[in-house]
Amino acid sequence: MENLEKAIEEIRREMPGLKLLENEPLAAHSSFRIGGPVRALAVPSDVTSLSKICCLLKEHELAPFILGNGTNLLFPDEGLQDLFIISTEKLTKLFLLPDGAIYAEAGVSLSKLALFAQQNGLAGLEFASGIPGSLGGGCIMNAGAYGGELKDVIESVVCYYLPEQALYELTNENCAFGYRTSYFQTHPGCVVLSAVLRLQPGDGEEIAAKMRELNEKRRAKQPLDLPSAGSAFRRPEGHFAAALIEEAGLKGYRIGGAQVSEKHAGFVVNVGGASSHDVHDLMRYVRKVVYEHSGVVLEPEMILLGPDYKLEDHGPAVPRHRIQINDPEAVTGGDGEG
Ligand SMILES: Cc1cc2nc3c(=O)[nH]c(=O)nc-3n(C[C@H](O)[C@H](O)[C@H](O)COP(=O)(O)OP(=O)(O)OC[C@H]3O[C@@H](n4cnc5c(N)ncnc54)[C@H](O)[C@@H]3O)c2cc1C
């Protein structure tokens, strides 16, 4: 805590032009509309400014938490004594490369990326047009829908590796994308800066029609009118989380302001004034009942941040994806550039 205060002071001194919000309410940056204040939220203007913040933090043995669109996160009501770096405000460069591939920075939203592809007659990103996250968050989760996933279209990713303060370019293979996972998730310490996406030439009208069709399907099935963080649980092998939850009689089950969606049991929604504890208690209860009913352990898909979240009673520990400064494993693949 003392280190964090010193780091904030130094960042203010060394980077006077940086937008640095103090005690910023996280609810404003969460699709769940839940979360107390974070001690500091930095909005770097470009990659150089981002890396400078990371260097200054490292001098105090700290690492930032990187925030994309906040659509896969639950923040605690108590807030967090951390420094967050948000990518979606300024790290948003997006253009076509001479060979027809797309270059995008981490803060570009997946919907904007899909639209850009469509406008340039490039097919393959239609699945992403309704996913509310950023490219950076999408790379971490290997975001996907309706049979497509980022794995299919990403050629390479450039990341800033915090422990070494170096840039690496990872090929698609290096990224080790799997079902809602990636190398970045299993090896915290990588800040995704940008990616190159390779798509197929297609007809703009047909691509637009496909996007509309998928978005209509989404609207028909998902509770998009209520705040949530998307699917609450991962798809267990051989099952569907929503079906297991519904079979256990939990559709519509509510604790405080958190409810198992009446429209889609795979979503936990904020029906009004939900606290992070309501969501946590509900997820814990759902896990318990589903386990008793089917013997299947549900693992959260959303990332739960906070000191007192313990879902371990009914299955394996919840993965908490936090960037750590002292990750023992180095990034493999690609050459360090700086
Ligand atoms: C209504 C709704 C529908 C959804 N539908 C889908 C769907 O169909 N398919 C799907 O896959 N997901 C879906 N999601 C979940 C979510 O949109 C995705 O997981 C998305 O990829 C998260 O991106 P984000 O920018 O919001 O990440 P955030 O929630 O901001 O962050 C998620 C994680 O990624 C890390 N992160 C973010 N950016 C970076 C970066 N640049 N470098 C390093 N780490 C970073 C964060 O630290 C955090 O650990 C849905 C969510 C909602 C609310």
Side-chain angles (χ1 to χ4, degrees):
M1 181 119 147
E2 202 185 308
N3 278 8
L4 180 62
E5 293 310 319
K6 283 188 185 153
I8 291 173
E9 217 180 287
E10 199 179 337
I11 290 170
R12 279 217 176 284
R13 201 172 47 243
E14 296 286 321
M15 304 179 71
L18 176 74
K19 184 169 168 190
L20 187 67
L21 306 170
E22 296 197 33
N23 303 315
E24 172 72 2
L26 283 169
H29 300 276
S30 141
S31 57
F32 241 139
R33 301 281 168 260
I34 295 173
V38 63
R39 180 64 192 90
L41 177 81
V43 186
S45 53
D46 53 24
V47 165
T48 312
S49 149
L50 181 146
S51 55
K52 184 155 186 198
I53 300 168
C54 295
C55 287
L56 291 170
L57 283 172
K58 190 165 186 253
E59 282 170 19
H60 296 272
E61 297 177 350
L62 296 170
F65 181 86
I66 310 297
L67 180 61
N69 250 357
T71 63
N72 201 37
L73 288 163
L74 176 66
F75 300 122
D77 302 325
E78 296 80 359
L80 289 164
Q81 286 300 316
D82 262 314
L83 186 142
F84 277 33
I85 292 180
I86 189 160
S87 65
T88 46
E89 228 173 275
K90 304 245 171 95
L91 303 179
T92 54
K93 285 201 185 90
L94 173 63
F95 52 85
L96 273 188
L97 292 167
D99 68 354
I102 296 178
Y103 171 91
E105 283 188 339
V108 174
S109 73
L110 290 171
S111 56
K112 190 170 175 195
L113 196 55
L115 185 64
F116 181 79
Q118 182 271 329
Q119 287 167 345
N120 285 283
L122 292 170
L125 255 183
E126 296 86 339
F127 74 87
S129 74
I131 303 178
S134 65
L135 174 62
C139 287
I140 303 298
M141 297 302 289
N142 182 25
Y146 303 112
E149 49 187 356
L150 284 181
K151 178 187 180 186
D152 306 333
V153 290
I154 286 197
E155 188 166 277
S156 61
V157 172
V158 170
C159 74
Y160 180 79
Y161 187 50
L162 291 168
E164 293 175 7
Q165 301 192 330
L167 292 178
Y168 285 89
E169 184 172 9
L170 277 72
T171 61
N172 177 296
E173 201 178 309
N174 296 149
C175 293
F177 291 121
Y179 168 65
R180 300 297 169 269
T181 189
S182 67
Y183 181 89
F184 311 109
Q185 207 175 118
T186 51
H187 294 75
C190 298
V191 179
V192 172
L193 299 180
S194 63
V196 171
L197 294 94
R198 176 79 51 192
L199 302 174
Q200 301 305 318
D203 177 82
E205 280 308 309
E206 281 174 25
I207 298 167
K210 182 81 190 164
M211 279 161 54
R212 273 196 303 276
E213 180 201 323
L214 295 182
N215 284 333
E216 271 159 31
K217 265 192 194 169
R218 194 179 275 276
R219 266 192 299 277
K221 291 220 164 126
Q222 298 184 358
L224 302 184
D225 53 331
L226 290 168
S228 78
S231 299
F233 296 99
R234 288 168 178 267
R235 192 176 61 222
E237 221 171 305
H239 301 272
F240 289 101
L244 292 172
I245 295 167
E246 203 169 336
E247 282 155 26
L250 292 171
K251 202 171 188 179
Y253 190 84
R254 183 170 168 173
I255 294 182
Q259 186 182 39
V260 174
S261 165
E262 287 172 336
K263 192 165 180 182
H264 187 310
F267 282 61
V268 167
V269 290
N270 178 357
V271 289
S275 68
S276 57
H277 294 269
D278 292 342
V279 175
H280 168 253
D281 289 348
L282 182 60
M283 289 183 64
R284 195 180 161 93
Y285 183 72
V286 167
R287 270 188 129 204
K288 175 179 178 299
V289 175
V290 166
Y291 180 68
E292 285 167 0
H293 193 262
S294 64
V296 177
V297 175
L298 292 179
E299 262 193 72
E301 180 165 315
M302 71 174 87
I303 294 158
L304 311 166
L305 292 180
D308 56 354
Y309 291 119
K310 293 195 192 73
L311 290 176
E312 290 85 354
D313 304 15
H314 299 285
V318 178
R320 285 182 202 181
H321 173 64
R322 301 301 302 268
I323 288 186
Q324 287 157 9
I325 196 77
N326 294 320
D327 194 280
E329 293 191 58
V331 172
T332 55
D335 294 316
E337 287 170 8

